Amino acid sequence: AQKITQTQPGMFVQEKEAVTLDCTYDTSDPSYGLFWYKQPSSGEMIFLIYQGSYDQQNATEGRYSLNFQKARKSANLVISASQLGDSAMYFCAMRELMNYGGSQGNLIFGKGTKLSVKP
Amino acid sequence: GAGVSQTPSNKVTEKGKYVELRCDPISGHTALYWYRQSLGQGPEFLIYFQGTGAADDSGLPNDRFFAVRPEGSVSTLKIQRTERGDSAVYLCASSRTGYNEQFFGPGTRLTVL
């Protein structure tokens, strides 16, 4: 079974509008972390935002916010006021903490969503 | 400061050859990860180092793949008897103890002809 599911292969959004990228996850580990990375056409992976499974509040970083619904096992990324430079692949990822604890351990990635921002 | 660097940026080789891919993590980062990204997919975990030792090598696909990090800094991913299916972008990431973010390098694009 897939641990990270991103059901939107591609999304379009008008510049200056908000967009939500979907992510659901599957784990039996009570402690886990959820990540979003951006990958522009240049190929580098850029960290956007992190949410811990025990965090009470949804994470926010500038124009990025993570809509964390633990019971539904979803961790959607919301980008407000889209910009042309937001056009890229977006990957949701999870780290299960049971094996390592703390902040270390490998990430499990979804297949990504390609976001295109229209002028 | 300098980010994670990887060399070479591109490597073309023939089926059956041996290749080495190098990763230079951010100074002071104790954790180092190798991932492989095939076209149209997300990165897949290969191996994780904590210091000099491989803490988890469960992602290595078979015994043709091996990685070392002898001094706890630079790491080399070694692939023997390359196959066309090994063609992918190999990504390296590092992180600092106590911090969640993994910083990725630009990757090495490996093409096996």
Side-chain angles (χ1 to χ4, degrees):
Chain A
Q2 283 199 356
K3 293 223 171 190
I4 297 288
T5 302
Q6 294 181 254
T7 58
Q8 305 153 315
M11 289 278 288
F12 287 90
V13 64
Q14 200 69 37
E15 192 179 7
K16 299 182 186 176
E17 292 186 350
V19 62
T20 298
L21 306 184
D22 294 342
C23 173
T24 58
Y25 60 91
D26 183 25
T27 182
S28 56
D29 191 336
S31 298
Y32 52 90
L34 297 158
F35 300 74
W36 278 92
Y37 277 83
K38 172 184 179 181
Q39 188 175 44
S41 56
S42 56
E44 61 189 302
M45 295 286 284
I46 302 168
F47 168 76
L48 297 178
I49 197 165
Y50 169 81
Q51 178 86 42
S53 59
Y54 293 118
D55 293 343
Q56 294 297 314
Q57 295 198 339
N58 287 343
T60 61
E61 288 286 348
R63 294 186 299 111
Y64 304 107
S65 60
L66 200 153
N67 184 0
F68 181 44
Q69 298 190 39
K70 196 169 183 178
R72 294 185 175 185
K73 293 190 174 179
S74 76
N76 298 340
L77 177 70
V78 180
I79 305 175
S80 63
S82 297
Q83 302 172 355
L84 295 177
D86 294 336
S87 294
M89 285 292 291
Y90 288 81
F91 291 97
C92 178
M94 175 175 66
R95 182 177 62 227
E96 293 168 317
L97 301 176
M98 186 171 284
N99 288 339
Y100 306 108
S103 59
Q104 307 303 308
N106 62 284
L107 301 180
I108 304 164
F109 285 86
K111 292 188 174 183
T113 294
K114 184 174 182 178
L115 178 66
S116 299
V117 180
K118 299 188 286 186
Chain B
V4 178
S5 62
Q6 292 186 246
T7 55
S9 55
N10 278 285
K11 176 71 178 177
V12 180
T13 191
E14 293 179 343
K15 180 175 180 294
K17 299 287 189 182
Y18 168 82
V19 296
E20 290 189 352
L21 311 180
R22 176 189 166 110
C23 172
D24 205 333
I26 294 172
S27 177
H29 282 197
T30 57
L32 185 146
Y33 307 84
W34 283 98
Y35 296 86
R36 177 167 72 172
Q37 187 174 22
S38 300
L39 196 61
Q41 303 292 319
E44 290 179 301
F45 167 70
L46 295 176
I47 187 168
Y48 155 46
F49 287 92
Q50 185 60 250
T52 59
D56 185 352
D57 64 358
S58 63
L60 295 178
N62 51 60
D63 61 6
R64 295 187 297 106
F65 289 74
F66 189 70
V68 295
R69 194 185 184 198
E71 297 178 357
S73 177
V74 170
S75 176
T76 305
L77 178 66
K78 308 180 181 197
I79 310 174
Q80 298 178 321
R81 304 183 304 280
T82 51
E83 299 178 356
R84 291 193 181 90
D86 298 336
S87 296
V89 175
Y90 289 80
L91 296 167
C92 176
S94 70
S95 67
R96 198 170 138 197
T97 302
Y99 291 81
N100 291 300
E101 181 181 353
Q102 292 185 16
F103 293 83
F104 280 78
T108 293
R109 182 176 297 278
L110 175 67
T111 303
V112 182
L113 301 176

